[in-house]
Amino acid sequence: MGDGSPAMGDGPLIEDFGQRIGRAMGWPPMAGRLAGVLMLSPAPMTLSELQAALGASKGSASEMTRLLITNGTVERVKVPGVRQAGYVWRDDAWSGCLQHQLHQTEELFELARNAQERGPHLPEAQRARLRDMHTYYDFMVRELRRLLDEYQRLHNG
């Protein structure tokens, strides 16, 4: 597959990704480092290449690629002439990340709606909390959808 790994001088930048993006996204530092490696890689990388670039176990590299796929930033690709799957930073990774956040928020909005429907028998203080939860997630879903649309317009030019 060729060496898709970033240049050796990118080590400090990749460590910075591990600390900062990992912490900001609530990911383990290894997921942040893997994100940095793939973002800076000029070509798809196999799990073995990621494992070597990160000094990680196969299980850890596999788990972190799954996490980044779930979060919408990385995708698994078939690379012609290579038996192992390749992993790449998605061209629309930030849209994918926002889509993932929207999906999570929609799930919580559904919970809020369901809880509010099932809670009329609760005391007023608890009903008020459920109303606040519903109002919050209703607002967040609408705004995340708007932000996603706006970002996609900017990204797609």
Side-chain angles (χ1 to χ4, degrees):
M1 180 183 294
D3 187 9
S5 62
M8 292 302 288
D10 294 328
L13 180 57
I14 289 167
E15 288 304 316
D16 202 22
F17 266 83
Q19 292 305 310
R20 291 179 185 225
I21 203 167
R23 184 174 48 240
M25 298 298 288
W27 298 341
M30 181 64 73
R33 290 178 58 221
L34 193 142
V37 166
L38 285 175
M39 188 184 295
L40 299 174
S41 177
M45 294 180 70
T46 65
L47 198 55
S48 298
E49 290 170 331
L50 288 168
Q51 182 182 347
L54 296 166
S57 70
K58 184 176 181 178
S60 178
S62 178
E63 184 179 343
M64 295 305 107
T65 56
R66 280 193 307 272
L67 175 69
L68 296 178
I69 289 168
T70 299
N71 278 268
T73 57
V74 168
E75 66 184 338
R76 185 180 167 147
V77 296
K78 173 70 177 129
V79 180
V82 177
R83 290 183 65 145
Q84 286 187 329
Y87 297 90
V88 296
W89 187 258
R90 286 177 45 174
D91 289 339
D92 65 344
W94 304 116
S95 288
C97 190
L98 193 50
Q99 286 169 334
H100 176 68
Q101 290 173 339
L102 173 59
H103 177 72
Q104 288 177 308
T105 306
E106 287 170 335
E107 290 284 325
L108 292 169
F109 178 56
E110 183 58 34
L111 170 64
R113 182 179 14 236
N114 187 290
Q116 196 172 19
E117 288 173 1
R118 293 173 36 200
H121 66 284
L122 295 172
E124 176 52 32
Q126 286 78 10
R127 287 195 319 268
R129 291 175 188 159
L130 293 176
R131 280 193 305 273
D132 287 347
M133 180 183 181
H134 184 273
T135 299
Y136 174 79
Y137 283 112
D138 180 40
F139 169 78
M140 291 301 293
V141 165
R142 281 185 283 114
E143 289 303 306
L144 285 172
R145 284 180 182 150
R146 183 188 63 76
L147 286 171
L148 181 58
D149 289 345
E150 185 176 332
Y151 179 74
Q152 287 176 333
R153 277 193 301 276
L154 286 171
H155 184 258
N156 297 329

